[in-house]
Amino acid sequence: MSAGPSVHLDTFKGNYAASSFLTKLTDQVLQVEGRTSPSKSSPSSKGSPAKDKRIPADPAAAVELLLSSFERAEKDLGKLQLQVDQRVQDLQQALAKEEQTFQVQIEVLEAHASDVQSSLLQMDTDIGQIGHSTRLGDRIQAAEAARKRAKNAGEVMTYLAEFASVSDFSELSELFQDDNRLAEAAAMTRQILALANEVMAAKERAGSSSTAVPSQSSRASQQGVAQAIDRLEDYRNLLEHRVVARFDSAVGSSDLGSMMACARIMAEFKRGETSLMQRYIATRAMFMDAKEVQFTEGRRAVDAAEAITAMRSLGGLYKNILAAVRDEAVVMEQVFPNPGPAMAMLIHRIFEQRIQAALDRLLVAPPLNAGPEAQQQHLKLLTEAYKRTLALSDSLQEIVREAADVQELAEESFGEHLADYPASELAWLQDLHNSTLGKVGRLAMEPVSQYCSWNAEAVERCATLSQEGSLPRHVRQLFVGPSPRQPHLGCLLDQVSAFLQAGLVGAGAQCNSTCSNPFSPATVGPVLNRSSAAKAAEKVIEIGMGSVLEAVGLASTIILAVRQHYLKVVEKRLQGSAPDAAACAAGLAGMVRATEERILTSLQVAITAFFAQVERTLTTEQKRVDFRPMAGMVLPLDQPTDACLLASSLIDALLRFASATLQATNLTSFCAEVGRKTHALLMTHMQHFSFSPAGALRWKRDVNEYTETLQVVRIQAIDEKMEELASMANMLVVAPDSLLGLVDSSMRISHRTALATIRLREDFRTAKVGSSTLAAIFSGD
């Protein structure tokens, strides 16, 4: 049997509970017994190990075992009790010793606390005394300051009296004689002058407020102060000269320390450091040994090579200026207490003496009679110089910061050169236009493209050279002039309008000249047939009416090109100025309307001239025997007459040329007008002849030829008119007894209308229907 569990002190540590302790003893005993007396498990316990308790088979043995275990536990507890009691006794003895030691420490600390409290009380007393001493010290310092001021005032008054009494500066005190004490002398001189001026002002106020006559001593005192002020001014000038001389010497030897000392001294004077700044700047190498731009006074760049050389020289000058300013900025920061004014003086002088002079020599305006090339070269040079000068100003602005507005100085440098801008651009554009207009014999797209390109070039320069806010106004002048109703020479719309007008007028004149002669077989050649007539008609139309049609087609294309130029180049430059944008839009719309009116007029004049040519051709070439042959003549009824062949060839060539050159809207209206005029001309032409039955058939063949020619027009109203003309020819063909049925049933026209055509019959006066003449039958409705 096992000896059972042991009991030790650790058992009672932590969360100790008596019930848990007893349960632990019992479980241990039962487990031991279960191992010695195993028993079979019940089936229900299978698979449930958590509930598997080993119950001993002999309860009496188990009880005996428990009692034995409890006895041993009791003995162990007794031993533990003795151990615990001994430990408690030891702890109590140690605690008593600790309490005794702690009490001793408490007594010592209480003694120290008493001493500290006494020290704090003494400290409060001392602090009070120190505060009283501090107030006394402040009073002493204030009194000392007042004493120093009084002493200083006394010294100033003494020196004032000294200046009032001495007759020569050599009699002055050592302070005003020693070169090593110039700064002190300058400061004292300023104080003396301030006191003297204050004294004079006080005396003047007192004199103006008092009605009593000043005493002789008062007047003498006032005169003495005034004399002292005059001598002080003289001495200050002398002192300033001495400082300036020392500064010049320091500048010559590049002694920055001495230069800085002189600048500090000069700060005490009326003009401050200004005189030293001016003297220092005047001695800079850029003003003493300047390399001039390569062009001398009055010379200009006459070609691209000289312009490149000039810009290279200007760029070198600007590079040297920028490097020099950077170096001088470093020196001025060290020398002058306030370097800003010095930098401003330097920049102003650079622009006045170097940049302005270089620009004036470089940008010599071309003479009035200079050609467009020279004017363009000058404008390009002006633009490039302006860009480089503004770039230089940006770099200089970073160096001088707020000391000077360098961009304003740069723009002022171009004031004279840009005074009348963009007049120079307009003059150049106008010269180009004049030279181009004289060389172009007829309307073409290439000159207009060149106009737009030149205008775009001018607008681009304008964007660079125009001052802030003036760009839209300048672009408007380049595009439309000062206003739409007052076009300016050189503006794009004025140039294009003049070119269009000249082209349309020239085409019209050429058309009139060509159409003045009839289209005759001699023009066609030795053989007159459909093919030869068509070829000859194409040539006549091309140099005559075709010139107008081509000009009209090009005019529409030119207007479209100008509109695209406006949207691409001009419009974006007008942002921010509604009046200028409106003026340009109105000018463009006005030019379009004016061009359309010119196109319509040109077409009307050209069509009139063309049909006059057709009419002359018919009048000349149409023979009476064509429609009323003499006895024995056989007419070729399957062919049109020669006059018809010539006239229809002209009309056909005209319509084909129009289809190739005119746009849809213009083409439709033009072809309709040609159809109407052709019908009207044939109606008039028919009235000039008398027709036999065979001649009437030939006339009907001519009408069919004209109808086929006009079918390319495809206008219903024209087709109907030509059908009516063919029906009228039938009244000349049928027998007299068939006329009444034709007029009343088929044609359904009035007898009076029919009579105008029936009169043209060869048998009108002789033919009868029954006993009635044709005149009697159709004389009334």
Side-chain angles (χ1 to χ4, degrees):
M1 181 179 298
S2 173
S6 62
V7 180
H8 47 77
L9 290 178
D10 292 339
T11 304
F12 302 95
K13 292 182 180 179
N15 296 326
Y16 168 76
S19 59
S20 301
F21 174 70
L22 293 176
T23 300
K24 182 177 180 182
L25 290 176
T26 304
D27 288 342
Q28 290 176 351
V29 172
L30 291 176
Q31 290 175 2
V32 170
E33 180 60 21
R35 285 193 299 270
T36 59
S37 301
S39 63
K40 294 182 180 180
S41 301
S42 64
S44 61
S45 67
K46 292 181 180 180
S48 302
K51 297 180 180 181
D52 190 8
K53 298 289 187 176
R54 296 182 182 270
I55 306 298
D58 189 356
V63 170
E64 182 180 356
L65 182 61
L66 286 173
L67 291 174
S68 175
S69 178
F70 286 159
E71 289 176 356
R72 284 195 301 271
E74 183 179 4
K75 291 179 181 180
D76 291 339
L77 288 173
K79 294 178 180 179
L80 291 176
Q81 179 68 37
L82 293 176
Q83 293 178 6
V84 169
D85 290 343
Q86 183 62 41
R87 288 188 180 183
V88 169
Q89 183 177 0
D90 294 341
L91 288 173
Q92 287 177 346
Q93 292 176 356
L95 178 62
K97 292 180 180 179
E98 290 291 337
E99 287 179 350
Q100 184 177 3
T101 303
F102 179 73
Q103 185 63 35
V104 173
Q105 292 176 349
I106 290 294
E107 293 176 355
V108 173
L109 289 175
E110 287 179 350
H112 285 302
S114 177
D115 294 340
V116 169
Q117 186 67 28
S118 300
S119 299
L120 290 175
L121 293 175
Q122 183 62 37
M123 185 180 296
D124 289 339
T125 303
D126 295 342
I127 289 173
Q129 294 177 354
I130 291 172
H132 180 67
S133 300
T134 300
R135 289 190 294 271
L136 289 177
D138 292 340
R139 293 178 182 178
I140 291 173
Q141 290 179 356
E144 179 63 20
R147 185 189 67 79
K148 289 182 178 180
R149 287 194 300 272
K151 179 181 180 183
N152 184 67
E155 290 179 353
V156 172
M157 294 182 67
T158 301
Y159 289 136
L160 176 60
E162 184 175 335
F163 272 95
S165 59
V166 298
S167 58
D168 189 84
F169 293 146
S170 60
E171 303 174 5
L172 292 173
S173 302
E174 181 182 357
L175 171 63
F176 303 103
Q177 306 289 339
D178 190 354
D179 285 346
N180 295 325
R181 301 175 65 185
L182 289 179
E184 186 179 353
M188 180 57 69
T189 303
R190 179 178 54 80
Q191 295 182 40
I192 298 171
L193 271 173
L195 176 61
N197 289 326
E198 184 177 349
V199 170
M200 288 294 296
K203 289 182 175 296
E204 290 176 357
R205 289 193 300 270
S208 61
S209 61
S210 175
T211 56
V213 177
S215 63
Q216 184 176 359
S217 60
S218 177
R219 288 196 299 271
S221 174
Q222 190 170 3
Q223 292 174 356
V225 174
Q227 183 178 359
I229 292 175
D230 293 339
R231 291 179 180 174
L232 281 167
E233 292 288 353
D234 293 340
Y235 174 77
R236 187 170 63 177
N237 291 336
L238 177 62
L239 188 61
E240 181 177 346
H241 292 157
R242 290 162 63 187
V243 175
V244 168
R246 178 179 293 184
F247 181 82
D248 291 343
S249 176
V251 170
S253 59
S254 299
D255 185 353
L256 296 182
S258 298
M259 292 167 61
M260 180 173 59
C262 292
R264 298 295 188 276
I265 296 172
M266 290 298 290
E268 301 288 345
F269 296 152
K270 182 185 297 183
R271 292 193 300 165
E273 308 156 84
T274 303
S275 60
L276 295 188
M277 294 176 183
Q278 292 172 344
R279 298 182 69 86
Y280 175 75
I281 292 171
T283 61
R284 298 304 86 203
M286 70 177 73
F287 304 117
M288 301 294 291
D289 185 22
K291 293 182 179 179
E292 302 293 342
V293 177
Q294 291 187 5
F295 290 98
T296 58
E297 188 70 29
R299 184 178 178 182
R300 57 184 176 82
V302 295
D303 55 30
E306 288 191 354
I308 293 174
T309 303
M311 293 314 304
R312 187 179 294 115
S313 298
L314 187 66
L317 172 66
Y318 285 178
K319 181 179 179 180
N320 293 337
I321 287 175
L322 184 59
V325 170
R326 286 199 177 102
D327 294 340
E328 295 302 336
V330 175
V331 174
M332 290 179 177
E333 287 284 349
Q334 299 180 40
V335 171
F336 299 106
N338 185 15
M343 291 301 303
M345 289 183 192
L346 176 64
I347 296 299
H348 277 81
R349 186 158 182 176
I350 288 174
F351 272 92
E352 290 174 358
Q353 295 188 10
R354 298 306 313 278
I355 296 177
Q356 186 68 66
L359 293 176
D360 290 344
R361 282 187 289 271
L362 179 66
L363 302 176
V364 178
L368 297 177
N369 59 349
E373 294 79 8
Q375 292 176 325
Q376 183 184 30
Q377 186 64 58
H378 174 72
L379 289 169
K380 288 182 177 180
L381 199 62
L382 174 63
T383 305
E384 185 62 25
Y386 187 82
K387 288 181 179 178
R388 295 198 179 196
T389 305
L390 286 187
L392 173 65
S393 70
D394 292 340
S395 300
L396 293 177
Q397 191 70 66
E398 295 178 359
I399 299 174
V400 303
R401 295 186 289 275
E402 296 84 7
D405 188 347
V406 188
Q407 184 175 2
E408 182 179 357
L409 294 174
E411 292 175 352
E412 290 176 355
S413 300
F414 287 85
E416 182 177 348
H417 302 289
L418 295 175
D420 59 346
Y421 192 81
S424 53
E425 296 280 6
L426 292 168
W428 168 64
L429 292 171
Q430 186 60 34
D431 285 351
L432 288 172
H433 171 68
N434 294 338
S435 61
T436 303
L437 195 62
K439 297 178 182 178
V440 179
R442 57 190 302 175
L443 207 60
M445 190 63 207
E446 183 179 357
V448 177
S449 299
Q450 191 65 65
Y451 288 150
C452 292
S453 176
W454 290 331
N455 184 264
E457 180 183 337
V459 169
E460 190 66 25
R461 280 196 296 266
C462 193
T464 300
L465 298 177
S466 296
Q467 301 296 321
E468 183 178 1
S470 62
L471 176 59
R473 175 168 52 86
H474 290 168
V475 172
R476 182 199 69 197
Q477 293 180 26
L478 294 175
F479 184 70
V480 73
S483 69
R485 296 183 180 181
Q486 297 178 349
H488 194 288
L489 294 179
C491 70
L492 179 63
L493 294 188
D494 183 66
Q495 292 177 341
V496 174
S497 297
F499 183 72
L500 286 171
Q501 183 176 4
L504 291 172
V505 170
Q510 184 175 345
C511 177
N512 290 334
S513 176
T514 304
C515 294
S516 61
N517 300 317
F519 184 49
S520 63
T523 309
V524 175
V527 180
L528 177 60
N529 54 39
R530 190 181 301 277
S531 176
S532 61
K535 291 180 180 179
E538 287 180 1
K539 294 180 180 179
V540 171
I541 292 299
E542 183 177 356
I543 62 176
M545 185 69 186
S547 62
V548 175
L549 294 177
E550 188 178 20
V552 169
L554 280 171
S556 300
T557 305
I558 288 170
I559 290 175
L560 179 61
V562 174
R563 282 175 169 166
Q564 292 175 345
H565 173 80
Y566 172 77
L567 295 175
K568 182 180 178 181
V569 176
V570 177
E571 187 177 36
K572 63 182 180 181
R573 304 294 189 181
L574 301 173
Q575 295 179 359
S577 177
D580 292 313
C584 289
L588 180 59
M591 189 208 74
V592 172
R593 288 193 301 270
T595 303
E596 290 175 348
E597 292 174 358
R598 293 192 191 105
I599 289 174
L600 181 60
T601 301
S602 298
L603 286 175
Q604 291 174 345
V605 171
I607 289 176
T608 301
F610 172 77
F611 277 99
Q613 182 185 30
V614 175
E615 184 178 5
R616 281 190 292 270
T617 300
L618 291 174
T619 301
T620 304
E621 302 301 328
Q622 196 81 71
K623 310 301 181 184
R624 291 187 179 275
V625 295
D626 290 340
F627 305 126
R628 192 175 179 179
M630 293 182 294
M633 290 184 63
V634 179
L635 299 178
L637 300 180
D638 60 338
Q639 296 179 5
T641 63
D642 290 347
C644 174
L645 186 61
L646 293 170
S648 61
S649 296
L650 283 175
I651 296 172
D652 181 68
L654 174 62
L655 293 175
R656 293 180 184 279
F657 199 95
S659 299
T661 54
L662 296 182
Q663 297 179 357
T665 304
N666 291 334
L667 177 61
T668 301
S669 59
F670 177 79
C671 290
E673 183 66 16
V674 170
R676 286 191 294 269
K677 286 189 173 293
T678 300
H679 177 266
L681 177 60
L682 294 177
M683 290 289 292
T684 303
H685 180 65
M686 184 179 66
Q687 298 297 323
H688 295 159
F689 297 92
S690 176
F691 298 87
S692 66
L697 288 174
R698 200 167 194 201
W699 168 244
K700 189 173 182 179
R701 177 66 185 83
D702 284 357
V703 172
N704 290 337
E705 187 72 19
Y706 291 122
T707 302
E708 291 177 2
T709 300
L710 292 176
Q711 281 182 350
V712 297
V713 177
R714 297 180 181 179
I715 298 177
Q716 183 177 358
I718 303 302
D719 293 340
E720 292 175 354
K721 286 181 178 294
M722 295 306 294
E723 290 176 1
E724 293 176 1
L725 183 59
S727 298
M728 294 172 67
N730 289 334
M731 291 188 288
L732 302 174
V733 175
V734 300
D737 55 356
S738 300
L739 279 173
L740 194 59
L742 177 64
V743 171
D744 292 341
S745 300
S746 299
M747 299 182 65
R748 295 182 180 182
I749 60 175
S750 66
H751 288 186
R752 188 178 299 277
T753 302
L755 184 60
T757 302
I758 295 172
R759 287 178 183 275
L760 304 178
R761 290 173 64 98
E762 180 184 34
D763 59 357
F764 177 71
R765 297 184 182 277
T766 60
K768 291 184 179 182
V769 179
S771 60
S772 301
T773 62
L774 296 179
I777 294 173
F778 293 98
S779 61
D781 293 334

